[in-house]
């Protein structure tokens, strides 16, 4: 792995990855601050600095300082002396043939240099000089090692979930948990995941003697070796010892965190408290994570697990995950992983939805029907940040075109074709015709605007606004200003730079939108008056923040427009509706599906063709209208402020258009 030959490095990595266990396990105590629960809910794992680990010799570079001095002198100092000093030919030949060139060089200097006090013996001279050089060398190496540790971060795992000493040492004496991760299924984690080699008496004198040749080994190897006392840990670790690698991590304050995949299982310690057990049970049920209780074997000194909750423990990218989840009637994770996120490329569409449809071949008609009903009937209230409607539309188009499953009907008696027709209508009109969904759009935009300014508030200001917004769970440590060097003279400040950070903010916004649903959509009844009042309250606070931070905002973001993350910035624009734009795009890419549009939805297309409030939307709508021979005319503008009000249905508003 430390070879200078790229082919050998690749072979070493392939061998390492081949030997990596299918799953790795993180032993974790449950602290009073709730960090363990944060990890289970956000998948953000803390990266420990190498200086703060429990092994005093972690990352230590052991070496024989005297031998290192002799070796370095022979390889680096001797050529200099031979070239620069006034040694005669015989002296140079003597040094060249010497078994200890350093010692013989010191003797010649002692005997020939008039500046040396002749009253001191050679041994005293040599010892004083050598100790001085050794001291400097030792200080340089130790300071370098300290600096190297300060820039090295890692987190550790074990190969098994039933190691008794790990439960005792790392879970607060069996009161904590052990978390199972399928790290091998994620290439970005495999690349920085290494096994620990247990060995006594190792040192790096030879490597330090030829630093350039062994530079890569010296950067990694000290963190991948431990003495045999630690072998019971069976450790693998994710290692980040370079700034480039740390860019994949998320920095919150002065701490680094890494976004891991969702755990595939959690094991509860034998002595876990009933309160912590209940909290973890709720998290596992919500996120569809398998849960086990560890117990003592009464016949021998070993641990075993008892199943509490069982879900598929495969990676969501694995087709078996889809099959097992549907068979077990646990579809939340499939729907979240495959339908909640935007699809950026056609090849990803093929890959994502073809995998689900292919898995149908291993399922019964009843199981497929169950999944379709979970997808179509139980997840139809979502805000814009979920590209759920258009993803379901794409999935239904592929399922309809596949033709193998068109005989399957849902509980309302509708075929795949009829469900597709119905869903096209959802994509065109549901965001405005379904009041609760329309409100969620507006709440979502307010939360985005809020976070866009929240980043530049002082802690005192944040606390003040959080008191006013007590209904919501605002994560202030998820938003930070990032400084990017754009040139030698210019630095731009902007939020949301880190992908993991964007994901955390996005999830926090969605959690707060769910809070809106919980408050105002109860048992199928929508409390519009209460929701509208809450909307106006939040809108007032956001506008106050924007007003109070206007000068600071302009100063920070001046000339940094290009630095915004597109997904957020566009949605700050009141006239931007990603839902309608994507629906129009996907329908124009699948024009044969347009023939399934109902007469009612054709009328909505005509209205959308006449309301020209966004060029990209109307472009696709016009194409659809042309394909369907629907008359429309362009450039009828509406008052955007009236149009984008949660109480206003734009399709009704069309009858009283206000021409600008």
């Amino acid at each position: 792995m430390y070879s200078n030959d790229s082919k050998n490095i690749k072979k070493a990595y392939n061998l390492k990855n081949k030997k990596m266990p299918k799953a790795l396990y993180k032993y974790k105590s449950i602290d009073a601050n709730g960090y363990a629960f944060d990890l289970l809910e956000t998948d953000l794992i803390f990266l420990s600095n190498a200086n703060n680990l429990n092994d005093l010799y972690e990352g230590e570079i052991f070496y024989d300082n005297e031998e290192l001095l002799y070796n370095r002198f022979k390889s680096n100092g001797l050529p200099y002396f031979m070239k620069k000093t006034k040694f005669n030919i015989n002296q140079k030949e003597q040094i060249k043939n010497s078994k200890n060139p350093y010692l013989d060089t010191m003797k010649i200097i002692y005997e020939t240099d008039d500046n040396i006090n002749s009253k001191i013996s050679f041994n005293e001279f040599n010892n004083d000089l050598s100790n001085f050089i050794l001291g400097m060398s030792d200080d340089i190496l130790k300071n370098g090692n300290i600096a190297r540790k300060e820039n090295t971060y890692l987190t550790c795992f074990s190969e098994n979930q039933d190691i008794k000493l790990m439960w005792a040492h790392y879970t607060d004496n069996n009161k904590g948990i052990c978390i199972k991760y399928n790290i091998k299924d994620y290439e970005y984690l495999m690349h920085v995941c290494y096994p620990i080699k247990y060995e006594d008496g190792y040192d790096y004198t030879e490597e330090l003697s030829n630093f350039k040749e062994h530079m890569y080994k010296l950067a990694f190897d000290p963190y991948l070796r431990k003495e045999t006392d630690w072998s019971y840990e069976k450790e693998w670790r994710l290692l980040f010892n370079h700034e480039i690698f740390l860019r994949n991590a998320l920095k919150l304050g002065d701490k680094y965190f890494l976004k891991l995949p969702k755990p595939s299982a959690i094991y509860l310690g034998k002595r876990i408290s009933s309160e912590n057990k209940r909290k973890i049970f709720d998290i596992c049920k919500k996120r569809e994570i398998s849960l086990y209780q560890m117990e003592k074997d009464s016949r021998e000194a070993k641990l075993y697990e008892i199943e509490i909750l069982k879900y598929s423990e495969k990676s969501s990218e694995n087709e078996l995950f889809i099959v097992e989840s549907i068979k077990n009637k646990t579809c939340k994770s499939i729907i979240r992983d495959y339908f909640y996120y935007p699809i950026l490329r056609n090849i990803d569409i093929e890959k994502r939805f073809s995998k689900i449809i292919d898995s149908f071949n291993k399922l019964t008609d009843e199981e497929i029907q169950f999944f379709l009903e979970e997808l179509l009937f139980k997840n139809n209230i979502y805000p814009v940040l979920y590209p759920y409607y258009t993803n379901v539309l794409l999935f239904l188009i592929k399922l309809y075109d596949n033709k193998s499953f068109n005989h399957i009907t849902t509980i309302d008696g509708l075929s795949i074709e009829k469900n597709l027709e119905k869903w096209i209508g959802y994509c065109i009109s549901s965001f405005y015709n379904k009041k609760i969904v329309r409100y969620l759009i507006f709440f979502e935009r307010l939360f985005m605007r809020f976070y866009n300014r929240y980043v530049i508030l002082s802690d005192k200001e944040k606390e003040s606004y959080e008191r006013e917004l007590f209904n919501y769970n605002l994560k202030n440590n998820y938003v930070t200003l990032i400084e990017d060097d754009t040139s030698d003279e210019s630095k731009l400040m902007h939020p949301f730079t880190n992908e993991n950070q964007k994901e955390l903010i996005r999830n926090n916004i969605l959690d707060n939108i769910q809070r809106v649903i919980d408050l105002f959509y109860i048992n199928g009844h929508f409390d519009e008056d209460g929701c509208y009042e809450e909307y106006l309250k939040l809108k007032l606070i956001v506008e106050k923040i924007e007003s109070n931070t206007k000068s600071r905002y302009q100063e920070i973001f001046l000339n940094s427009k290009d630095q915004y993350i597109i997904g957020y910035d566009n949605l700050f624009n009141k006239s931007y509706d990603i839902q309608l734009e994507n629906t129009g795009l996907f329908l124009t890419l699948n024009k044969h599906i347009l023939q399934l549009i109902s007469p009612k939805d054709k009328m909505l297309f005509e209205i959308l063709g006449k309301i020209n409030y966004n060029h990209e939307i109307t472009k696709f709508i016009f194409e659809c209208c042309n394909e369907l021979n629907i008359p429309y005319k362009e450039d009828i503008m509406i008052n955007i402020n009236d149009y984008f009000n949660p109480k206003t249905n734009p399709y009704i508003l069309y009858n009283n258009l206000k021409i600008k």
Side-chain angles (χ1 to χ4, degrees):
M1 195 166 74
Y2 308 124
S3 169
N4 292 322
D5 188 331
S6 59
K7 291 182 179 179
N8 289 337
I9 293 175
K10 187 175 181 180
K11 285 180 182 178
Y13 267 98
N14 289 339
L15 181 61
K16 181 261 295 183
N17 293 340
K18 186 177 180 180
K19 291 189 174 183
M20 184 185 293
K22 289 184 178 179
L24 292 173
Y25 299 84
K26 181 72 176 178
Y27 289 84
K28 184 84 176 159
S29 60
I30 299 176
D31 54 278
N33 294 319
Y35 294 141
F37 300 119
D38 287 344
L39 168 59
L40 297 181
E41 291 184 304
T42 66
D43 302 322
L44 275 183
I45 194 164
F46 174 66
L47 295 177
S48 300
N49 184 264
N51 280 316
N52 300 326
L53 299 174
N54 60 349
D55 182 357
L56 288 174
Y57 298 103
E58 188 73 58
E60 201 72 25
I61 295 182
F62 299 106
Y63 57 91
D64 184 319
N65 203 6
E66 188 171 329
E67 183 182 345
L68 178 60
L69 171 62
Y70 295 158
N71 291 344
R72 282 185 165 178
F73 178 81
K74 187 174 182 179
S75 58
N76 300 320
L78 185 58
Y80 175 85
F81 271 87
M82 299 293 277
K83 184 177 181 181
K84 297 291 185 180
T85 60
K86 296 179 180 179
F87 293 166
N88 59 44
I89 295 175
N90 291 334
Q91 289 168 333
K92 289 182 179 180
E93 194 67 24
Q94 176 186 341
I95 294 171
K96 184 178 179 181
N97 297 324
S98 173
K99 292 182 179 179
N100 191 332
Y102 173 82
L103 190 61
D104 279 352
T105 301
M106 294 303 106
K107 282 182 179 179
I108 293 173
I109 292 174
Y110 175 79
E111 293 168 355
T112 60
D113 194 328
D114 295 336
N115 294 315
I116 296 173
N117 187 351
S118 60
K119 292 181 180 181
I120 65 173
S121 67
F122 169 71
N123 287 338
E124 187 179 353
F125 162 75
N126 183 53
N127 288 339
D128 288 347
L129 182 59
S130 297
N131 287 336
F132 175 73
I133 296 172
L134 288 171
M136 282 200 311
S137 173
D138 206 35
D139 287 343
I140 291 170
L141 289 171
K142 284 180 178 177
N143 290 334
N145 203 27
I146 291 170
R148 192 168 48 83
K149 284 187 178 183
E150 286 176 353
N151 292 306
T152 299
Y153 293 82
L154 51 92
T155 187
C156 307
F157 301 85
S158 293
E159 294 184 1
N160 305 106
Q161 82 282 13
D162 57 357
I163 304 173
K164 297 190 294 297
L165 286 176
M166 293 297 290
W167 279 104
H169 295 166
Y170 292 94
T171 70
D172 189 18
N173 197 18
N174 291 272
K175 297 173 187 173
I177 56 177
C178 179
I179 311 168
K180 177 183 178 183
Y181 292 102
N182 295 332
I183 286 177
K184 197 169 184 176
D185 292 329
Y186 298 89
E187 188 174 342
Y188 77 101
L189 292 175
M190 284 181 67
H191 187 68
V192 292
C193 189
Y194 305 93
I196 295 298
K197 182 178 181 180
Y198 299 101
E199 181 183 354
D200 293 326
Y202 55 90
D203 80 29
Y204 295 95
T205 305
E206 181 182 343
E207 288 80 359
L208 288 169
S209 301
N210 300 282
F211 183 80
K212 287 185 178 180
E213 183 179 344
H214 298 287
M215 185 167 53
Y216 190 65
K217 181 178 182 179
L218 289 167
F220 280 86
D221 201 65
Y223 299 101
L224 303 179
R225 286 180 187 260
K226 299 182 80 168
E227 292 177 311
T228 54
D229 292 345
W230 300 89
S231 61
Y232 70 89
E233 292 185 341
K234 298 181 180 179
E235 184 180 342
W236 288 67
R237 55 180 46 172
L238 298 176
L239 178 63
F240 300 85
N241 63 348
H242 195 283
E243 184 182 351
I244 293 175
F245 294 137
L246 277 175
R247 290 178 185 175
N248 293 321
L250 172 65
K251 191 174 185 182
L252 300 178
D254 59 350
K255 296 183 174 73
Y256 282 100
F257 294 82
L258 181 68
K259 191 78 162 62
L260 292 179
K262 188 183 80 171
S264 54
I266 297 171
Y267 300 81
L268 303 174
K270 170 65 177 171
R271 294 172 175 160
I272 192 168
S273 71
S274 56
E275 181 183 357
N276 287 337
K277 183 174 182 177
R278 178 188 57 78
K279 288 180 180 178
I280 294 170
F281 178 89
D282 291 342
I283 292 171
C284 288
K285 195 160 188 180
K286 175 185 175 183
R287 301 195 67 198
E288 294 189 340
I289 301 170
S290 293
L291 182 64
Y292 301 92
Q293 175 69 63
M294 299 304 292
E295 293 290 349
K296 293 192 303 182
D297 194 312
S298 59
R299 293 164 297 179
E300 55 183 314
K302 70 176 185 179
L303 297 169
Y304 68 96
E305 66 265 11
I306 296 175
E307 179 184 304
I308 299 176
L309 292 172
K310 182 63 178 174
Y311 300 98
S312 177
E313 296 179 21
K314 302 288 191 303
S315 161
S316 62
E317 297 296 316
N318 191 319
E319 188 179 303
L320 279 177
F321 168 80
I322 300 172
V323 173
E324 291 175 1
S325 296
I326 295 176
K327 282 184 175 292
N328 293 334
K329 296 190 175 181
T330 53
C331 299
K332 284 182 188 175
S333 296
I334 303 177
I335 293 171
R336 179 178 181 83
D337 292 347
Y338 283 82
F339 293 92
Y340 282 12
Y341 296 93
I343 303 175
L344 303 178
R345 302 176 303 170
N346 283 334
I347 189 171
D348 294 326
I349 297 172
E350 293 292 326
K351 181 180 177 182
R352 186 182 295 190
F353 296 139
S354 293
K355 193 177 293 183
I356 297 177
I357 295 171
D358 289 344
S359 74
F360 284 0
N361 293 310
K362 299 175 183 177
L363 298 168
T364 66
D365 287 357
E366 290 75 16
E367 289 166 339
I368 298 171
Q369 180 185 13
F370 172 81
F371 172 73
L372 291 175
E373 288 169 1
E374 290 288 302
L375 182 69
L376 301 176
F377 301 150
K378 296 187 179 179
N379 296 276
N380 61 352
I381 297 179
Y382 282 104
V384 176
L385 257 180
Y386 283 143
Y388 184 80
Y389 284 87
T390 47
N391 280 348
V392 172
L393 174 63
L394 283 168
F395 171 73
L396 288 174
I397 289 172
K398 285 199 65 65
L399 187 60
Y400 173 75
D401 288 344
N402 181 275
K403 301 189 183 305
S404 299
F405 306 100
N406 286 352
H407 63 282
I408 295 175
T409 59
T410 47
I411 196 169
D412 54 3
L414 296 183
S415 64
I416 301 297
E417 178 180 325
K418 288 298 181 182
N419 271 300
L420 177 54
E421 176 186 321
K422 182 180 177 181
W423 206 264
I424 294 172
Y426 277 167
C427 290
I428 298 169
S429 64
S430 254
F431 277 91
Y432 298 108
N433 286 339
K434 188 177 287 189
K435 286 183 178 180
I436 176 65
V437 177
R438 193 160 70 239
Y439 272 84
L440 296 182
I441 296 173
F442 288 90
F443 272 95
E444 182 176 71
R445 286 173 174 155
L446 286 179
F447 283 125
M448 290 177 184
R449 287 167 61 187
F450 173 81
Y451 270 118
N452 193 36
R453 296 302 176 99
Y454 194 65
V455 66
I456 57 177
L457 297 179
S458 68
D459 290 341
K460 188 174 181 180
E461 288 173 316
K462 288 177 182 178
E463 290 175 5
S464 172
Y465 286 120
E466 285 169 10
R467 283 195 296 271
E468 291 187 71
L469 297 170
F470 59 88
N471 276 334
Y472 308 102
N473 179 26
L474 305 170
K475 298 283 190 179
N476 57 24
N477 60 344
Y478 285 173
V479 188
T480 56
L481 281 175
I482 308 297
E483 186 174 73
D484 273 2
D485 292 320
T486 55
S487 67
D488 291 338
E489 300 178 355
S490 174
K491 288 186 177 181
L492 298 178
M493 304 289 287
H494 55 93
F496 312 151
T497 299
N498 185 291
E499 285 296 322
N500 292 330
Q501 197 163 325
K502 284 193 298 176
E503 178 68 10
L504 289 166
I505 295 167
R506 177 183 184 275
N507 288 337
N508 186 238
I509 290 174
L510 294 173
D511 286 343
N512 286 318
I513 290 171
Q514 183 61 49
R515 180 65 178 149
V516 175
I517 296 173
D518 294 340
L519 287 170
F520 304 108
Y521 193 72
I522 303 169
N523 297 326
H525 175 72
F526 176 45
D527 176 12
E528 182 177 8
D529 291 338
C531 192
Y532 187 65
E533 185 179 334
E534 180 70 15
Y535 165 75
L536 292 178
K537 176 185 172 183
L538 180 61
K539 184 170 181 283
L540 184 65
I541 293 174
V542 171
E543 289 173 345
K544 184 168 71 170
I545 293 175
E546 290 176 334
S547 175
N548 291 344
T549 60
K550 185 175 181 180
S551 60
R552 277 182 282 166
Y553 184 86
Q554 290 176 342
E555 180 182 352
I556 289 173
F557 293 100
L558 187 65
N559 299 322
S560 64
K561 183 73 174 176
D562 293 340
Q563 298 296 323
Y564 287 155
I565 298 302
I566 298 300
Y568 285 90
D569 183 48
N570 282 341
L571 285 172
F572 295 145
N573 185 334
K574 290 180 180 178
S575 65
Y576 188 89
D577 194 326
I578 195 170
Q579 171 66 28
L580 287 175
E581 180 177 336
N582 284 346
T583 299
L585 170 62
F586 296 144
L587 287 175
T588 54
L589 292 175
N590 298 275
K591 289 183 179 178
H592 64 290
I593 300 298
L594 286 169
Q595 304 307 317
L596 300 179
I597 294 178
S598 69
K600 180 181 177 182
D601 292 327
K602 285 183 181 179
M603 292 175 61
L604 293 178
F605 258 119
E606 182 179 354
I607 294 172
L608 286 170
K610 293 175 180 179
I611 300 176
N612 184 11
Y613 66 92
N614 180 291
H615 174 70
E616 291 301 319
I617 293 175
T618 51
K619 175 184 175 183
F620 295 127
I621 296 301
F622 294 163
E623 284 191 44
C624 293
C625 288
N626 284 332
E627 186 71 18
L628 293 167
N629 295 318
I630 296 174
Y632 64 89
K633 56 183 179 178
E634 302 181 26
D635 298 328
I636 296 180
M637 305 297 290
I638 66 168
N639 186 307
I640 294 295
N641 291 327
D642 288 343
Y643 186 89
F644 285 94
N645 181 301
K647 277 197 168 185
T648 305
N649 186 323
Y651 302 122
I652 297 173
L653 180 68
Y654 169 70
N655 295 326
N656 298 296
L657 281 177
K658 297 177 182 179
I659 308 298
K660 281 190 175 182

